[in-house]
Amino acid sequence: MAQRRTAWTRLTTPFANIPAGTATTLALAMWVVVIGGWALLSYGRVVPNMFLPTPGTVLETTYRMSLDGSLFYHTLTSAKVVILGFIVSSVIAVPLGLWMGTYRAVQAPLEPLVNFIRYLPVTSFVPLFILWIGIGIEQRIAVIFFGTFFQQLVMISDCARGVSRDLVNASYTLGTKRSEAVWHVIFPAALPAILDTLRVTMGWAWTYLVVAELVAASSGLGYISLKAMRGFQVDVIFMAIAAIGLLGLITDTAFRIIRARVAPWAP
């Protein structure tokens, strides 16, 4: 009885740790509820198969497209677009965001422009990117870049701005030059928050994938989703959505592991 009470206290206490087994059980239970509800609605004909395919149909479609190699090809194409767009965006956004959050002289001219651009709809720029860049992979990478870069810039500048001033002043006392403070003090202090920002914006990059492959694409998960929509192939759409979700989950887990290794001191 006392053990049950202790377990319940852990579950209901804010920020309290719970056993790994309990966390795994809760996660699996949630998946059972979601997939069970899907199966109930589809197999029970509550929702017609034309609008909601059964889990078995989606698995059959996945197996068929895996056998002929098309699923791997489209997945690899989409992953390439997202990863390249995200890397280019992050390589520019991290240093520029640090300077923007650290130096008022950089923040003053950039912040109004960045805050204006980041509210512009990405979809409206797709025709312009096609006109300016063409219809190759570069256009799709540009969509991912545009969708993530300005959000990253604002969030990373906030990470830098959140570093304790006492820490920076203490570094000056210990002999750190002002020109070295950004990379030797502010960047390490903000690194855990920056990695969290990259993890979150990586999720946004995956959500912009369908937009990137909406026009003038001949491969990718977004492309086959759009093609399947025209043919009312709902099972293919569900398979593509699940594939994007799985890829996003993999990259999210990768960032969690990187953060734990690079910044183990952070909560």
Side-chain angles (χ1 to χ4, degrees):
M1 187 68 179
Q3 290 180 347
R4 290 182 180 179
R5 190 176 301 169
T6 302
W8 177 252
T9 302
R10 286 183 179 180
L11 290 173
T12 57
T13 301
F15 306 115
N17 291 325
I18 60 175
T22 303
T24 302
T25 301
L26 291 173
L28 291 175
M30 179 56 68
W31 279 108
V32 169
V33 170
V34 171
I35 297 176
W38 174 18
L40 183 64
L41 291 174
S42 57
Y43 286 117
R45 307 295 182 182
V46 178
V47 179
N49 289 341
M50 180 180 178
F51 301 108
L52 183 68
T54 62
T57 303
V58 176
L59 288 175
E60 289 175 7
T61 302
T62 304
Y63 179 70
R64 173 173 49 81
M65 294 187 68
S66 298
L67 284 181
D68 62 21
S70 59
L71 178 58
F72 176 76
Y73 170 71
H74 290 297
T75 300
L76 188 62
T77 301
S78 293
K80 182 179 179 181
V81 169
V82 171
I83 291 172
L84 286 176
F86 181 79
I87 289 175
V88 173
S89 174
S90 301
V91 165
I92 301 174
V94 169
L96 189 57
L98 282 171
W99 292 328
M100 186 173 163
T102 304
Y103 298 109
R104 179 61 183 165
V106 179
Q107 177 190 358
L110 283 183
E111 191 170 59
L113 178 63
V114 170
N115 283 329
F116 170 77
I117 294 176
R118 73 190 182 97
Y119 286 107
L120 300 179
V122 178
T123 51
S124 63
F125 281 85
V126 172
L128 289 175
F129 289 147
I130 293 175
L131 181 64
W132 294 337
I133 303 173
I135 59 174
I137 190 174
E138 295 83 2
Q139 174 262 332
R140 284 170 274 168
I141 292 174
V143 172
I144 302 298
F145 174 87
F146 189 85
T148 57
F149 173 72
F150 298 100
Q151 311 293 340
Q152 286 181 330
L153 203 55
V154 171
M155 295 174 72
I156 292 172
S157 67
D158 286 341
C159 294
R161 204 172 293 121
V163 174
S164 171
R165 301 296 186 274
D166 292 336
L167 180 64
V168 178
N169 292 332
S171 70
Y172 293 153
T173 303
L174 295 173
T176 302
K177 297 179 181 178
R178 295 182 184 274
S179 59
E180 299 174 342
V182 173
W183 294 107
H184 289 265
V185 180
I186 297 174
F187 175 63
L191 183 58
I194 290 174
L195 290 174
D196 286 338
T197 294
L198 295 179
R199 180 173 64 86
V200 171
T201 53
M202 186 68 183
W204 293 347
W206 282 111
T207 62
Y208 285 120
L209 175 63
V210 176
V211 176
E213 296 176 343
L214 191 63
V215 181
S218 58
S219 59
L221 296 171
Y223 164 76
I224 63 173
S225 295
L226 184 64
K227 185 179 177 181
M229 180 187 68
R230 294 167 181 164
F232 293 99
Q233 296 173 299
V234 188
D235 53 334
V236 177
I237 297 175
F238 266 71
M239 182 208 64
I241 292 172
I244 293 173
L246 181 60
L247 290 170
L249 183 60
I250 291 171
T251 53
D252 187 87
T253 304
F255 268 108
R256 289 179 183 273
I257 294 172
I258 291 171
R259 188 187 189 278
R261 296 288 179 86
V262 174
W265 68 88

